[in-house]
Amino acid sequence: FPRTFGLAKANEMLLTERQITAQEASDGGLVTRIFPEDTFRDEVEKIVKHMATLPPQSMRISKALIRHELNEKLLEVNARECKTLRERWLSDECMTAIMNFLNRKKGK
């Protein structure tokens, strides 16, 4: 995520919980196209039908080549993130935040 958007934008989105717009997702390379909601299904169907006509073995090989290096780095980062998340979930700070949240819900 930070590699795609850059550290500043990734920090802003992750630390402030701000959702990104479709245009930001496109500009950042998370999506390749944006479709209006009313034509979304038809547009995606056209793409899928075209891709289904392409040689399947060539598609698998191409995807594997594109993803190989990224997958290695992703697995490494994912393992580090999982370790950190486990530590955070077990922290006193997290337990306090959960209890505060549940107490606010009870008060409503």
Side-chain angles (χ1 to χ4, degrees):
F1 190 73
R3 181 184 278 186
T4 301
F5 275 95
L7 289 176
K9 185 68 107 175
N11 274 325
E12 175 193 3
M13 290 165 39
L14 294 172
L15 298 177
T16 65
E17 299 179 344
R18 186 177 75 78
Q19 292 184 358
I20 62 173
T21 65
Q23 189 60 54
E24 287 174 310
S26 178
D27 293 345
L30 288 179
V31 299
T32 57
R33 300 182 198 180
I34 302 171
F35 302 114
E37 188 175 349
D38 59 329
T39 63
F40 179 82
R41 182 176 291 278
D42 293 335
E43 295 292 340
V44 171
E45 220 171 270
K46 285 180 201 172
I47 294 168
V48 170
K49 283 181 180 177
H50 169 70
M51 290 177 76
T53 67
L54 300 173
Q57 188 65 15
S58 292
M59 292 289 284
R60 276 191 288 282
I61 292 169
S62 295
K63 286 171 65 175
L65 287 170
I66 292 167
R67 293 180 177 170
H68 177 72
E69 186 177 323
L70 292 175
N71 284 344
E72 295 298 316
K73 183 66 174 175
L74 181 59
L75 291 173
E76 176 188 321
V77 171
N78 192 2
R80 197 167 50 243
E81 288 174 347
C82 287
K83 179 181 181 286
T84 301
L85 285 172
R86 276 192 299 276
E87 291 169 358
R88 297 305 307 141
W89 273 104
L90 298 173
S91 72
D92 290 339
E93 181 182 53
C94 182
M95 293 301 158
T96 300
I98 290 170
M99 293 307 296
N100 288 341
F101 174 79
L102 293 173
N103 286 333
R104 280 196 313 261
K105 286 288 195 183
K106 283 182 185 176
K108 288 187 178 184

